[in-house]
Amino acid sequence: MRRFIKGLAAIGLCAALMAVLPARAQTPVTVDVTQVITAAYPDVIAVVSVQDAAGAPVGGLAASNFAASDDSGPVPVVAAQAAVNADVGLAVVLVMDTSGSMAGSPMALTEEAAIRFVDSLLPRDGAIVISFADGVSAPSPLSADKQALAATLQGLQAGGSTALYDAVVAGAQAAKTAPLPRKVVVLLTDGQESGNRSAASMEQSLSEAAASGAPFFAIGVGEDINVPYLQDLANRSGGQFLAAPAPADIPAVYERIGFMLRSQYVVRMTLAAPADGGTSELTLSATAGDASASGSARFTRPGAPSTPTPTPRPTPEAAASTGDGGGPSPMLFALAGGIAALLVGGGVLGTRRIRRRRLRATASGPTQASHSYTPPPVATWTGPAAPSGRLTIVEGPDKGKSVPLGEHTVTLGSDADCKLSLADADGRVAGHHARIWLREGHFMLHHLAGGRYATVVGEKALKWAVLEDGDEIVIGPHRLRFEAVPPP
């Protein structure tokens, strides 16, 4: 199980590290229709993800790259543009596991990653926060106020069991009623349903997610997770399962989800089918260079089905002859009918992906591309007076070098663009090895490098640390001392 989860994470993180590539470089491609928005029916909007063979989003597509059809035949594509350029607001429902196992580093990393995710939303977007442990919290109001959302996230406290199924239902219902057209649920958990805390069953939670009109991005942290359930949740809703084998992987997973959402397309069409509450299957094809693929989704058209008029049946008395040589004279019967229900206001339904087809192009194979990882940005200090400090190299080849610490992030490493550049004679200092920034009045240290590199604080190799006055940090042959500078 451990090898399986780590393999899934490796695939997901590699895709997150790749930039959007030009359309001509993609072969083959895959297409996912993650949502069909019917609020202005018969004008509909399909939210579409187009990815290359490596899972990286395909950029630079226009309306001419898309073709559409429904049950009645071809449908003209009116317009297509990148979601970040479209005037279509996004509602994100953040469903956060706050059970006891999330206490400490997992909770801190999740809060930090979720805050950065919220910071990346556009002004027209909004977010809702739901937490769950023994029970499920009431959803916070949909808000575009990033400071208020950050305060809500920072106020989460870990403790209790895991009411996972009820949390999925709550997330689905919050997304379904959110007033913005695009919707997505980002659920994070480090466990599975425990303690029989949920009133909903597993199947009920999956059905609610499938009917919500929002794809679920299900993040599973660690190894004590129900992988089949999270995969089923993602598949039924048209979303994706992403594994974070360790808490330190959480920030990159949130970054990947934000990257994917920013890389989606909004495709507009006008359908001919009536607004009668029936179902349609919408298929979208995308052509990128010499490759093409298609994806489909079923959705429910707005309105309500018409009540059929019953066929009258004659009674025995009505079948009797009238006599006098005349033929039978059937009686007229009153016809029973029903009044059709009022049209249901613009719903967003049926985002469950039905199928996804991958068509290989005539080219010999996919074009390979590699991109270096840029760590996600961190928020700068917004308080009235930023605390300050100093980092000094007290031992090693660069002894005596120092750098002031304040409201701006300081990067440490062997690359010349680092704020504090460290000599790397023996190969133990990475190009971008670590960084220090200010958060809530404290200086945070984040180890950036992987593999054989280490950042040691207090004789212990760490990924994250809250620095205190006098702490010593060891990076390769260098020993550095952190000193807090009292405010003037």
Side-chain angles (χ1 to χ4, degrees):
M1 175 65 75
R2 177 180 301 178
R3 184 174 300 171
F4 171 70
I5 294 176
K6 289 185 176 179
L8 288 174
I11 294 172
L13 293 178
C14 285
L17 308 184
M18 298 187 69
V20 178
L21 303 178
R24 62 180 178 273
Q26 309 306 315
T27 173
V29 296
T30 57
V31 175
D32 286 327
V33 182
T34 63
Q35 189 179 0
V36 179
I37 302 171
T38 61
Y41 196 87
D43 296 330
V44 300
I45 297 173
V47 181
V48 184
S49 294
V50 184
Q51 298 179 335
D52 69 2
V58 177
L61 302 183
S64 58
N65 295 103
F66 291 94
S69 63
D70 64 4
D71 303 306
S72 62
V75 174
V77 173
V78 177
Q81 61 187 143
V84 292
N85 299 325
D87 188 20
V88 181
L90 171 65
V92 178
V93 182
L94 296 170
V95 183
M96 321 286 286
D97 186 343
T98 57
S99 58
S101 56
M102 287 290 293
S105 176
M107 194 76 257
L109 288 168
T110 299
E111 290 176 2
E112 184 72 26
I115 290 171
R116 287 203 300 268
F117 179 90
V118 167
D119 283 341
S120 72
L121 297 178
L122 298 175
R124 61 174 175 266
D125 302 333
I128 296 168
V129 179
I130 298 173
S131 62
F132 66 98
D134 287 334
V136 180
S137 72
S140 68
L142 178 69
S143 175
D145 185 336
K146 296 179 180 181
Q147 289 187 344
L149 289 166
T152 299
L153 291 166
Q154 290 167 348
L156 299 179
Q157 300 292 326
S161 296
T162 310
L164 178 58
Y165 301 155
D166 280 356
V168 170
V169 171
Q173 292 174 346
K176 199 171 187 177
T177 57
L180 294 176
R182 286 179 70 203
K183 306 163 190 287
V184 64
V185 179
V186 180
L187 178 142
L188 179 141
T189 181
D190 73 337
Q192 48 191 301
E193 177 70 28
S194 64
N196 296 317
R197 297 294 182 179
S198 291
S201 68
M202 179 177 71
E203 183 57 37
Q204 286 171 335
S205 68
L206 294 172
S207 296
E208 285 281 346
S212 68
F216 272 67
F217 288 87
I219 305 171
V221 181
E223 298 177 4
D224 187 27
I225 56 175
N226 188 341
V227 173
Y229 172 76
L230 295 178
Q231 287 178 323
D232 203 8
L233 174 64
N235 291 337
R236 290 207 199 183
S237 65
Q240 194 168 134
F241 165 65
L242 303 101
D249 300 312
I250 293 172
V253 175
Y254 271 96
E255 181 73 6
R256 181 192 174 191
I257 295 171
F259 181 63
M260 288 190 291
L261 293 176
R262 293 190 295 273
S263 304
Q264 289 180 322
Y265 289 92
V266 169
V267 182
R268 301 175 188 268
M269 296 148 287
T270 300
L271 304 185
D276 58 2
T279 59
S280 293
E281 181 170 343
L282 179 66
T283 299
L284 271 167
S285 300
T287 300
D290 54 3
S292 64
S294 62
S296 300
R298 293 199 69 83
F299 68 96
T300 301
R301 300 188 296 272
S306 299
T307 304
T309 302
T311 302
R313 296 184 178 182
T315 62
E317 292 81 1
S321 173
T322 58
D324 292 329
S329 177
M331 294 184 66
L332 299 178
F333 292 87
L335 300 180
I339 299 175
L342 295 175
L343 292 179
V344 177
V348 181
L349 298 172
T351 63
R352 181 171 61 92
R353 185 172 54 219
I354 300 302
R355 64 177 180 271
R356 181 176 68 181
R357 298 201 300 269
R358 174 178 293 185
L359 306 178
R360 292 201 172 270
T362 57
S364 58
T367 301
Q368 297 297 323
S370 61
H371 300 272
S372 61
Y373 171 57
T374 300
V378 296
T380 56
W381 173 258
T382 57
S388 60
R390 179 165 291 276
L391 193 64
T392 304
I393 301 176
V394 296
E395 183 179 320
D398 294 320
K399 181 179 178 180
K401 288 175 65 174
S402 68
V403 63
L405 302 175
E407 58 186 289
H408 299 295
T409 301
V410 170
T411 306
L412 318 175
S414 60
D415 283 358
D417 63 349
C418 290
K419 186 72 173 178
L420 183 57
S421 182
L422 304 174
D424 184 31
D426 55 3
R428 289 189 290 154
V429 181
H432 286 77
H433 196 104
R435 63 178 174 178
I436 297 174
W437 79 98
L438 188 63
R439 179 195 173 194
E440 299 176 12
H442 300 281
F443 285 99
M444 308 286 294
L445 180 142
H446 178 199
H447 173 74
L448 299 173
R452 57 191 173 85
Y453 299 107
T455 300
V456 177
V457 180
E459 309 305 323
K460 184 176 181 181
L462 298 173
K463 291 285 288 184
W464 297 82
V466 179
L467 296 177
E468 298 181 0
D469 186 39
D471 276 349
E472 292 194 342
I473 305 162
V474 176
I475 297 177
H478 307 277
R479 182 178 295 274
L480 306 92
R481 180 175 295 126
F482 167 75
E483 296 175 306
V485 177

